[in-house]
């Protein structure tokens, strides 16, 4: 299976991603809420960027665009192809295919300095809404 992780920039193949403090951007209302342990809610969208339930683990996904979103949240973060180091556990925090692992090794750099274009952002928000609706109404994402 091919796993992705989006986040801290500048890692190279062979580098190890370990659990770390979430990245907070000054002046970001979502970041400010998360720092206070409050689930961020955006009017018209609902819950966005769920609180991290497992800060002791690294999150990985098979959904490249979902990982791209997390890379874009880090100022000029990178998107990596990774392999889990240690066992993996399914994450139920969101409705995309995600897992947690004690650490992840960078296999390759997929994209550097990720920024979401308006088109990619809209596409991801639509997919997110479909995944959430499928989970709410008993379908599959």
């Amino acid at each position: 299976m091919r796993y992705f992780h989006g986040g801290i920039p500048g890692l190279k193949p062979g580098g190890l991603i370990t659990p770390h403090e979430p990245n907070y951007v000054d002046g970001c209302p979502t970041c400010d809420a998360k720092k206070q342990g409050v689930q961020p809610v955006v009017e018209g969208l609902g819950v966005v960027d769920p609180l991290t339930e497992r800060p002791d683990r690294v999150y990985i996904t098979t959904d490249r665009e979902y990982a791209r979103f997390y890379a874009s949240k880090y100022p000029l973060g990178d998107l990596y192809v990774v392999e889990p180091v240690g066992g993996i556990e399914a994450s139920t925090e969101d409705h995309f295919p995600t897992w947690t692992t004690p650490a992840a090794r960078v296999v390759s750099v997929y994209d550097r300095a990720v920024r979401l274009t308006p088109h990619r952002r809209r596409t991801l928000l639509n997919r997110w809404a479909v995944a959430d609706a499928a989970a709410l109404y008993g379908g599959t994402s």
Side-chain angles (χ1 to χ4, degrees), residues 7-12 76 78 80 112:
I8 192 167
L11 299 177
K12 296 179 177 147
L76 302 177
D78 293 342
Y80 303 103
R112 294 268 189 209

Side-chain angles (χ1 to χ4, degrees), residues 63-112:
D63 191 302
R64 182 185 65 226
E65 295 308 306
Y66 185 58
R68 184 183 303 279
F69 166 72
Y70 281 94
S72 76
K73 288 178 42 180
Y74 218 102
L76 302 177
D78 293 342
L79 177 60
Y80 303 103
V81 176
V82 299
E83 61 186 12
V85 175
I88 64 172
E89 296 175 10
S91 171
T92 58
E93 293 177 49
D94 51 40
H95 302 124
F96 284 92
T98 56
W99 295 265
T100 67
T101 183
R105 187 163 315 283
V106 176
V107 174
S108 63
V109 178
Y110 192 90
D111 201 3
R112 294 268 189 209

Side-chain angles (χ1 to χ4, degrees), residues 3-6 17-20 50-61 66-67 70 82 89-94 97-104:
Y3 296 106
F4 296 91
H5 177 86
I17 301 167
T18 57
H20 56 82
L51 292 171
T52 300
E53 292 179 6
R54 295 296 309 267
D56 61 322
R57 310 236 335 152
V58 172
Y59 287 78
I60 59 177
T61 180
Y66 185 58
Y70 281 94
V82 299
E89 296 175 10
S91 171
T92 58
E93 293 177 49
D94 51 40
T98 56
W99 295 265
T100 67
T101 183

